[in-house]
Every structure is written in C-alpha cells, then in structure tokens.
Amino acid sequence: MNFKDVLEGRRSIRRYSDRPVGRDMIVSLLGAAETAPSAGNLRAREYYVVTSPQLRLALSAAAFGQEHVATAPVVVVVCADPVKSGRRYGDRGQLYSIQDADAATVCLILAACNRGLGSCWTGAFDDTIVRDLLDLPGRLVPTAIVSIGWPDEKPTPPPGRDMTEAVHWIEG
Ligand SMILES: Cc1cc2nc3c(=O)[nH]c(=O)nc-3n(C[C@H](O)[C@H](O)[C@H](O)COP(=O)(O)O)c2cc1C
C-alpha cells in the first residue's frame, strides 16, 4: 500500500477472522515497531506477544471485557520502561518512555495495516491485572494492548474534524 492509503485506510478493527497470523509476520511487525524514534535512542520499550487463548481471555477480562482482545489471534502488550529513561533523563524520562512506547505502537498498527492486517490500540485496561498476568518486571509499565488479526469487518471511517480546531499558526 502507499503511505497515504495506510494512513487514511487504517481503522481500529475489533472483529477478526479465524485465519492465523504467522510468527514471521509478527516478527516483521515488531521490527516495524522498533523503527519508531525514541528519546536518546534508548528504546525504553518492550513487547509481550501473547498468542495463548487462555491468556488472551484473561487480558480481555483485564481490559474490562473487550472481546477483540480475546478473539484476535495475536495480542501485543507494549510496555514503557521509565526506569531506563529515568537513568539518563530524570523525571523527564517518565514521559519519554511513554512516548517511546506510543511511537512504537503507532508504527506497529500502521505496519499491520500495510500488510492487510487489522489491529486495535486498546488503552482501557487494569494495569495491575495486566502486570500480574504477564509477570512483568516492576520497572515496566504496560501502555497498550494491541489486538492484531485478519479483519472480519470494514468499519466506516469516524468523522474527521475541521483542522482549524487543532492547528495554530504562529507566523513571522
Ligand atoms: C490511547 C488510545 C486508547 C484507545 N483505547 C481503546 C480501547 O480501550 N478500546 C477500543 O476499542 N479502542 C481504543 N482505541 C481506539 C480508538 O477508539 C480509535 O482509534 C478511534 O475511535 C478512531 O478510530 P480509528 O482508529 O478507526 O481511526 C484507543 C486509541 C488510542 C489512541
């Protein structure tokens, strides 16, 4: 796909077909995620790839019952590492690590779209339960549960907005 089609054609997908997603594909998507910029190139982010149906079901419960987390064949939990960023950047590192993780999440979902896959960035979840389920080291903060699979729906694009609401030109 060309870049504009990926940007404009990507939708959050919450219904997936039964078709599996191969391991090579997942590895390639994670490679795309890692191309994202990161503060000081510290890459203060990690990825937990979950294909186990039982664990996906438990993650779905942790995401307040969001079904696409259970029904997607693959779920990637993106985590920030504020300790790593904080060592170099102090308090500012907290923010940088979240930004590192979010930048990777954007690249991940765009790469998925480019390969014809659907995905959904899922931010509504109970951090403590997700930490326990994945046995995360204490330094990691889960920032997104990304469900990934072959789409079984074609959502209509959400309404856009008048960009004058958001853009402020300060010209010389
Ligand atoms: C930070 C963040 C958190 C989100 N959390 C959820 C979520 O918990 N569940 C969900 O179904 N979608 C979630 N979304 C997806 C948004 O609902 C979606 O991006 C938005 O409605 C626009 O639709 P689109 O992605 O198809 O353009 C989240 C997106 C972002 C960026």
Side-chain angles (χ1 to χ4, degrees):
M1 288 171 77
N2 76 41
F3 188 54
K4 185 168 179 282
D5 288 344
V6 172
L7 289 179
E8 292 178 0
R10 183 208 56 78
R11 293 275 69 79
S12 291
I13 297 298
R14 300 177 181 88
R15 268 188 28 213
Y16 299 101
S17 78
D18 292 338
R19 185 178 161 195
V21 176
R23 195 182 175 93
D24 288 353
M25 177 70 92
I26 302 169
V27 169
S28 149
L29 297 183
L30 294 170
E34 263 305 276
T35 65
S38 98
N41 201 30
L42 289 181
R43 293 155 195 275
R45 57 194 174 214
E46 297 190 15
Y47 312 91
Y48 284 71
V49 182
V50 181
T51 56
S52 148
Q54 294 87 345
L55 194 46
R56 285 189 278 111
L57 196 60
L59 286 170
S60 166
F64 312 109
Q66 297 194 65
E67 285 182 11
H68 61 92
V69 175
T71 54
V74 185
V75 156
V76 175
V77 181
V78 183
C79 298
D81 187 343
V83 173
K84 194 176 196 179
S85 279
R87 259 186 242 119
R88 185 181 301 176
Y89 295 113
D91 288 348
R92 191 79 181 159
Q94 305 281 317
L95 173 64
Y96 286 167
S97 67
I98 303 288
Q99 290 173 329
D100 279 11
D102 287 351
T105 305
V106 172
C107 289
L108 177 65
I109 65 176
L110 291 176
C113 175
N114 188 46
R115 305 297 292 268
L117 284 158
S119 68
C120 187
W121 180 326
T122 310
F125 58 83
D126 184 310
D127 290 29
T128 309
I129 299 175
V130 170
R131 280 171 188 285
D132 286 352
L133 287 171
L134 300 179
D135 199 17
L136 295 182
R139 68 194 158 76
L140 293 184
V141 177
T143 52
I145 298 177
V146 184
S147 60
I148 300 172
W150 299 102
D152 193 28
E153 64 170 342
K154 204 171 182 318
T156 46
R161 65 171 172 175
D162 183 338
M163 286 299 283
T164 57
E165 277 178 33
V167 179
H168 310 274
W169 293 82
I170 302 171
E171 293 178 297

